Amino acid sequence: MTEQTTQEHLQTVNESLESGTTMQIRYLLNGALPAQDVARLLESSPPKERKLLWDLIDDKNEGEVLQYLSEDISAQFMKTMDTERLVAVSEQFEHDDLTNILQHLPETLVKEVLASMTAQNRARVETLLSYSEDSAGGLMNTDTITIRPNITVDIVFRFLRRHQELPDMTDNLLIVSRSDKFLGTLPLTKLLVADTSSTVREIMETETTTITSDMPASEVAQLFEKLDLVSAPVIDPETKKLLGRITIDDVVDVIRDEAEHSMLSMAGLEDDEDTFAPILKTTRRRAVWLGVNLVTAFIASYVIGLFQDTLDQIVALAILMPIVASMGGIAGSQVLTLVIRGIALNQIGATNTGWLLNREIVVGALNGILWATVIAAMTALWFDNLQIAYIIAAAIIINLLFAAITGTMLPVILKKLGVDPALAGSVILTTVTDVVGFLSFLGLATLFLV
Amino acid sequence: MTEQTTQEHLQTVNESLESGTTMQIRYLLNGALPAQDVARLLESSPPKERKLLWDLIDDKNEGEVLQYLSEDISAQFMKTMDTERLVAVSEQFEHDDLTNILQHLPETLVKEVLASMTAQNRARVETLLSYSEDSAGGLMNTDTITIRPNITVDIVFRFLRRHQELPDMTDNLLIVSRSDKFLGTLPLTKLLVADTSSTVREIMETETTTITSDMPASEVAQLFEKLDLVSAPVIDPETKKLLGRITIDDVVDVIRDEAEHSMLSMAGLEDDEDTFAPILKTTRRRAVWLGVNLVTAFIASYVIGLFQDTLDQIVALAILMPIVASMGGIAGSQVLTLVIRGIALNQIGATNTGWLLNREIVVGALNGILWATVIAAMTALWFDNLQIAYIIAAAIIINLLFAAITGTMLPVILKKLGVDPALAGSVILTTVTDVVGFLSFLGLATLFLV
């Protein structure tokens, strides 16, 4: 549960595995720990132990644990099940969670699971499967409690009491017409203080934010954050019929994924990256990113190579040139990170990009002048050469200006082109700051010193 | 509300500002747009426009807008108010929000605000102020609805109906003893289906997760995510008395901040970074980070300088050396990012660091061999020199191994030392991969080629 306890459980599990006794682990995995903690334990284990632990979980508990695992890992385990187990486990999922996992399974398994369901459930899941995972339709569930507008509060209470229990996170009753058109909501907090003789129509809220099934998940998340929602109805964009509802727990996942996405993408990692992925999978994924960056590195080397003769004459240039490239890279990635976040938060658009670019150029110039002075002074002292000091100062200022412009405009342009700025931004930025850094420093040196 | 509309509003505002007519803006800011959208508009505006827009908001609407602004920006506006306005505005805040903002205001203003409150409210806010902002106490609010265990469901209904309305996000009634000790919760979803003659004691849930006021905010967020909570009671760690409750909307802020924290820190940006901060503030903050990284750059240059004679003889080394440093930096920052996220998610601890380090070393070795071969082949072709090809291959493998070890262990060690891995990690890592890259490449060349 807390940091200590997850690590403590891992400790216990490791010790038991080493000593070969599985009794205590079985006890932990099958009841002593809540399913969420078991899922956390599996996610925090390397592949071999993960498999071992999974085998120690009783069949009847597997379904619940799967629901709390990341979809990637759930799907891995489910792929290895025979049809009967797969079907048994699927029955324990809520429809929206099941849909998400089915999207990670091979077509044949999906068909088997669907074939095993009742016609009604199959129809529901098939509808959910028809929505994109990144849309409101993909986030919603169908466990709504609906009432008609013309009944009284008293009857609502009686109607509710007929239920064994209400679905989790029910904070609103949803009001629909005879033809299932969405009319409004009745918050429980309002129902509970209402006069029992009023009708639903009199007290329901009609200015509710409704979400259409095609709204992108990121917009859904913004709405929930802005309006402090716990749940919200989802309607069909054309017929206005109620399709289901989205609850905050699923939205929190979207918010976390989105916030993590930029950081992981900037390092070329996948969103759902498994910290404990096996060696070959990890090697393959990392190799791609290293390859992309090698192209950048060779471009930089090519630029340096253009000035071979200059470098041959003045070795101090070779010693100092990484400083110019590195300062540009650092300055650029600060701007890039800020702008990528600003775009993700929808703060940046056509109206304020100009101001931002302008500010970044001024900031780049000011910091360029400041650090160019420092670097020039140190260079003059180190190499006892004023000319090189002037040249490195000029190169630093030039590179920081390019870094400011690239850092601001690159993500804006990439976004317009439909390319993920977090993924492509850092590679392109590094190429620019390396090339401009080496080109300006060695170029100026060639012009003035050789 | 959506991406389009925020940007559209900004467009309208900009056009009106340019044409000098403020009527339409006043209309937008004072009623046409919900306060949340006005706050978004302010946050997406450069300083001058932000000030202009703020001045166009009617006094009576200021309080609501302030609540939705980031604390940093709210505090800026509140600092400029006279005492009377400040007090008037403060009265509109919920106590937890007010507390957060007071923590950003100068002592004298805080005293004035507190002095203006009723004794009861002052006592409450002073209690909240005594908790750290990053603890459960700092997140909680005091708007709980409490009941006693011995009353019947019927009486609960009558008690609730005496309220005008229930606080937002009330999903549970909290049950306390005569001495205010927390006993359990009664979910509204359970209350609504309960037999009206049962007593609260019979149907209440006693195995509720309680949060003590000293629990760190990050643990609170984990609990909410794990248990899909909407609200949770906060109790005094010693007396077990009920102090208040935490709601999911405040927890969502914690989750977003935490997820953003790593990305922003890795680029040396502040958590609450204002995208549209003014030039001087931005320049100052960025300068610090550039200065820190300049030290790294000079260390790398110093290492290169050690091999001045070698570079003097073989200029190809100067051309190729950035490749070795850059590949190490990229490989290292992938590992670093993964481990920083793993630590933030509490997946990484003493039990699995060994496995992780081992995997990263193997992955580093495999990718090292792969890319060393590619780079060696290209070097051999480019410079027609097999010896340099061998040497760069060896240097790449060495640097990727160091990158793997540093990337894995550095954040673990920094965390143990109580230093934020996201902030210090990338600078130290770059220093290591630069130094090892230049040292191994130029060192091997000096040994074997000169």
Side-chain angles (χ1 to χ4, degrees):
Chain A
M1 184 184 301
T2 63
E3 185 166 1
Q4 280 76 14
T5 56
T6 299
Q7 290 300 325
E8 275 167 25
H9 295 323
L10 274 174
Q11 190 74 43
T12 315
V13 166
N14 273 25
E15 281 163 12
S16 305
L17 283 179
E18 271 165 30
S19 68
T21 58
T22 58
M23 212 181 68
Q24 200 180 357
I25 309 183
R26 274 182 197 277
Y27 170 75
L28 273 178
L29 299 178
N30 295 293
L33 287 182
Q36 295 96 321
D37 285 342
V38 175
R40 177 76 67 86
L41 215 55
L42 288 170
E43 285 178 353
S44 304
S45 298
K48 226 175 79 186
E49 276 104 272
R50 192 181 282 171
K51 180 78 182 56
L52 269 175
L53 292 179
W54 177 250
D55 291 340
L56 293 175
I57 298 176
D58 295 344
D59 281 4
K60 68 172 166 38
N61 297 326
E62 282 180 0
E64 214 189 333
V65 173
L66 283 174
Q67 293 173 48
Y68 293 105
L69 282 174
S70 86
E71 286 155 21
D72 194 29
I73 301 178
S74 289
Q76 276 171 37
F77 286 132
M78 290 174 77
K79 276 179 205 160
T80 65
M81 292 179 173
D82 58 34
T83 312
E84 198 184 335
R85 287 283 317 126
L86 189 62
V87 167
V89 154
S90 305
E91 278 167 6
Q92 296 177 47
F93 281 78
E94 284 187 20
H95 286 163
D96 59 339
D97 293 335
L98 179 60
T99 309
N100 289 341
I101 291 200
L102 289 182
Q103 277 156 342
H104 287 78
L105 291 180
E107 196 68 22
T108 50
L109 289 184
V110 174
K111 278 190 187 147
E112 282 171 8
V113 172
L114 287 176
S116 74
M117 304 177 93
T118 65
Q120 192 191 21
N121 282 340
R122 183 167 55 239
R124 281 189 186 166
V125 171
E126 275 175 341
T127 312
L128 291 181
L129 274 173
S130 72
Y131 299 112
S132 147
E133 218 184 334
D134 297 327
S135 72
L139 284 174
M140 79 181 179
N141 213 333
T142 48
D143 59 350
T144 52
I145 297 210
T146 56
I147 51 174
R148 292 283 155 74
N150 52 344
I151 61 176
T152 63
V153 167
D154 206 32
I155 293 179
V156 174
F157 277 121
R158 270 192 272 162
F159 165 75
L160 291 177
R161 232 166 266 137
R162 286 212 306 263
H163 291 74
Q164 278 292 319
E165 56 182 337
L166 301 183
D168 279 346
M169 306 229 163
T170 298
D171 63 330
N172 284 316
L173 306 178
L174 302 179
I175 297 124
V176 292
S177 72
R178 197 181 294 263
S179 61
D180 253 0
K181 266 203 187 127
F182 173 73
L183 300 175
T185 61
L186 178 53
L188 297 189
T189 50
K190 209 165 172 181
L191 173 72
L192 284 165
V193 299
D195 188 336
T196 49
S197 61
S198 354
T199 65
V200 169
R201 193 187 305 281
E202 286 164 5
I203 58 169
M204 74 183 192
E205 297 187 350
T206 50
E207 302 219 343
T208 325
T209 328
T210 45
I211 292 174
T212 53
S213 55
D214 55 356
M215 185 185 271
S218 60
E219 266 181 52
V220 174
Q222 280 168 33
L223 266 183
F224 267 72
E225 272 196 89
K226 201 178 75 173
L227 303 176
D228 291 344
L229 302 177
V230 171
S231 76
V234 179
I235 61 171
D236 186 287
E238 270 128 49
T239 64
K240 311 290 175 205
K241 280 189 183 171
L242 181 69
L243 299 172
R245 64 176 190 134
I246 295 178
T247 48
I248 181 77
D249 52 328
D250 294 318
V251 174
V252 165
D253 293 342
V254 174
I255 291 171
R256 181 179 278 287
D257 287 352
E258 287 207 336
E260 275 187 350
H261 167 81
S262 303
M263 175 177 74
L264 294 173
S265 296
M266 284 176 90
L269 299 169
E270 305 241 329
D271 279 9
D272 207 10
E273 193 83 25
D274 177 0
T275 310
F276 297 94
I279 288 174
L280 279 181
K281 195 173 176 185
T282 309
T283 305
R284 219 168 32 231
R285 284 194 182 172
R286 303 271 179 88
V288 176
W289 191 243
L290 285 168
V292 171
N293 279 278
L294 183 59
V295 176
T296 296
F298 265 110
I299 294 174
S301 287
Y302 170 79
V303 172
I304 301 172
L306 298 175
F307 302 98
Q308 188 158 353
D309 296 341
T310 311
L311 285 169
D312 230 353
Q313 293 173 48
I314 314 164
V315 74
L317 298 178
I319 296 171
L320 291 169
M321 66 186 187
I323 293 178
V324 182
S326 145
M327 290 297 275
I330 293 291
S333 74
Q334 285 208 297
V335 186
L336 184 75
T337 305
L338 188 78
V339 175
I340 285 175
R341 190 191 63 140
I343 289 177
L345 295 178
N346 273 330
Q347 291 180 334
I348 295 177
T351 54
N352 45 25
T353 309
W355 184 88
L356 209 61
L357 179 64
N358 188 54
R359 183 194 65 184
E360 289 303 340
I361 291 176
V362 178
V363 170
L366 290 175
N367 266 320
I369 293 168
L370 169 67
W371 292 110
T373 312
V374 173
I375 293 166
M378 294 183 75
T379 302
L381 284 174
W382 189 357
F383 294 94
D384 198 16
N385 185 328
L386 264 183
Q387 281 178 301
I388 294 184
Y390 288 137
I391 285 170
I392 200 169
I396 287 282
I397 294 174
I398 291 171
N399 207 15
L400 257 59
L401 287 175
F402 267 90
I405 296 168
T406 314
T408 314
M409 295 313 296
L410 181 63
V412 173
I413 293 167
L414 288 174
K415 172 88 184 178
K416 272 225 176 97
L417 297 175
V419 180
D420 178 9
L423 187 63
S426 55
V427 180
I428 303 179
L429 177 83
T430 312
T431 313
V432 171
T433 52
D434 277 4
V435 167
V436 172
F438 293 131
L439 201 61
S440 57
F441 184 50
L442 300 177
L444 287 171
T446 307
L447 277 177
F448 294 105
L449 297 185
V450 182
Chain B
M1 185 183 299
T2 63
E3 184 166 359
Q4 279 76 14
T5 55
T6 300
Q7 290 300 325
E8 274 167 25
H9 295 324
L10 274 175
Q11 190 73 41
T12 316
V13 166
N14 272 27
E15 281 164 13
S16 306
L17 283 179
E18 270 164 30
S19 69
T21 57
T22 58
M23 212 180 69
Q24 198 178 359
I25 309 184
R26 274 183 198 279
Y27 169 75
L28 273 179
L29 299 179
N30 295 293
L33 287 181
Q36 295 96 321
D37 286 343
V38 175
R40 176 78 66 86
L41 216 56
L42 288 170
E43 284 177 354
S44 304
S45 298
K48 227 176 77 187
E49 277 102 272
R50 193 182 280 171
K51 178 79 182 56
L52 269 175
L53 291 179
W54 177 251
D55 291 339
L56 293 175
I57 298 175
D58 295 346
D59 281 3
K60 67 174 166 38
N61 297 326
E62 283 180 359
E64 216 190 332
V65 173
L66 283 174
Q67 293 172 49
Y68 293 105
L69 283 173
S70 86
E71 287 156 20
D72 193 28
I73 301 179
S74 289
Q76 275 172 37
F77 286 132
M78 290 173 78
K79 276 179 205 160
T80 65
M81 292 179 174
D82 59 33
T83 312
E84 199 183 335
R85 286 283 317 126
L86 189 62
V87 167
V89 155
S90 306
E91 279 167 7
Q92 297 177 46
F93 281 79
E94 284 188 20
H95 287 164
D96 60 338
D97 294 335
L98 179 61
T99 309
N100 290 341
I101 291 199
L102 289 182
Q103 276 157 342
H104 288 78
L105 291 180
E107 196 69 22
T108 49
L109 289 185
V110 174
K111 280 191 186 144
E112 282 172 8
V113 172
L114 287 175
S116 75
M117 304 176 93
T118 65
Q120 192 191 19
N121 281 342
R122 184 167 52 240
R124 281 190 186 165
V125 171
E126 276 173 340
T127 312
L128 291 181
L129 274 173
S130 72
Y131 299 111
S132 148
E133 218 182 333
D134 297 327
S135 72
L139 284 175
M140 80 181 178
N141 213 333
T142 49
D143 58 351
T144 52
I145 298 210
T146 56
I147 51 175
R148 292 283 155 75
N150 51 342
I151 61 176
T152 63
V153 167
D154 206 35
I155 293 179
V156 174
F157 277 121
R158 268 193 272 161
F159 166 73
L160 291 178
R161 231 166 268 138
R162 285 214 305 263
H163 291 74
Q164 278 292 320
E165 56 181 335
L166 302 184
D168 279 346
M169 306 230 164
T170 298
D171 63 331
N172 284 315
L173 306 179
L174 303 179
I175 297 126
V176 291
S177 72
R178 198 180 294 264
S179 61
D180 252 2
K181 267 205 187 121
F182 174 73
L183 300 175
T185 61
L186 178 52
L188 297 189
T189 50
K190 208 164 172 182
L191 172 71
L192 283 166
V193 300
D195 187 337
T196 49
S197 61
S198 353
T199 65
V200 169
R201 193 187 303 281
E202 287 165 3
I203 58 169
M204 74 182 191
E205 297 188 349
T206 50
E207 301 220 343
T208 326
T209 329
T210 44
I211 292 173
T212 53
S213 55
D214 54 356
M215 184 185 272
S218 60
E219 267 180 51
V220 173
Q222 281 168 33
L223 266 184
F224 268 72
E225 271 195 272
K226 200 178 77 174
L227 304 176
D228 291 343
L229 302 175
V230 171
S231 76
V234 178
I235 61 171
D236 186 287
E238 270 129 48
T239 64
K240 311 290 175 206
K241 279 189 185 171
L242 181 70
L243 298 173
R245 65 176 188 134
I246 295 178
T247 49
I248 181 77
D249 52 327
D250 294 318
V251 174
V252 165
D253 294 342
V254 174
I255 291 171
R256 181 178 279 288
D257 287 352
E258 287 206 337
E260 275 187 349
H261 167 81
S262 303
M263 175 177 75
L264 294 173
S265 297
M266 284 177 90
L269 298 168
E270 305 241 328
D271 278 9
D272 206 10
E273 193 84 25
D274 177 0
T275 310
F276 297 94
I279 289 174
L280 279 181
K281 195 171 176 186
T282 308
T283 306
R284 220 169 29 232
R285 285 192 182 174
R286 304 271 178 88
V288 175
W289 192 244
L290 285 169
V292 170
N293 279 278
L294 183 59
V295 177
T296 296
F298 264 110
I299 293 173
S301 288
Y302 170 77
V303 172
I304 301 172
L306 297 176
F307 302 97
Q308 188 157 353
D309 295 340
T310 311
L311 286 168
D312 230 353
Q313 292 174 48
I314 313 164
V315 75
L317 298 177
I319 296 172
L320 292 169
M321 65 185 187
I323 294 179
V324 182
S326 145
M327 290 296 276
I330 293 292
S333 75
Q334 285 209 296
V335 186
L336 185 75
T337 304
L338 187 79
V339 175
I340 284 175
R341 190 190 63 141
I343 289 176
L345 296 179
N346 273 331
Q347 291 180 333
I348 296 176
T351 53
N352 45 24
T353 310
W355 184 89
L356 209 62
L357 178 63
N358 189 53
R359 182 194 67 184
E360 290 303 340
I361 291 175
V362 177
V363 170
L366 289 175
N367 266 319
I369 292 167
L370 170 68
W371 293 110
T373 312
V374 173
I375 294 167
M378 294 183 76
T379 303
L381 284 173
W382 189 359
F383 293 95
D384 199 16
N385 184 328
L386 264 183
Q387 281 179 300
I388 295 185
Y390 288 137
I391 284 171
I392 200 169
I396 288 282
I397 294 174
I398 292 171
N399 207 16
L400 257 59
L401 286 174
F402 267 89
I405 296 168
T406 313
T408 314
M409 295 313 296
L410 182 62
V412 173
I413 293 167
L414 287 174
K415 173 87 185 178
K416 270 223 177 99
L417 297 175
V419 179
D420 178 10
L423 189 63
S426 55
V427 180
I428 303 179
L429 177 83
T430 312
T431 312
V432 171
T433 52
D434 277 3
V435 167
V436 172
F438 293 131
L439 200 60
S440 56
F441 184 51
L442 300 177
L444 288 171
T446 307
L447 278 178
F448 293 104
L449 298 184
V450 182

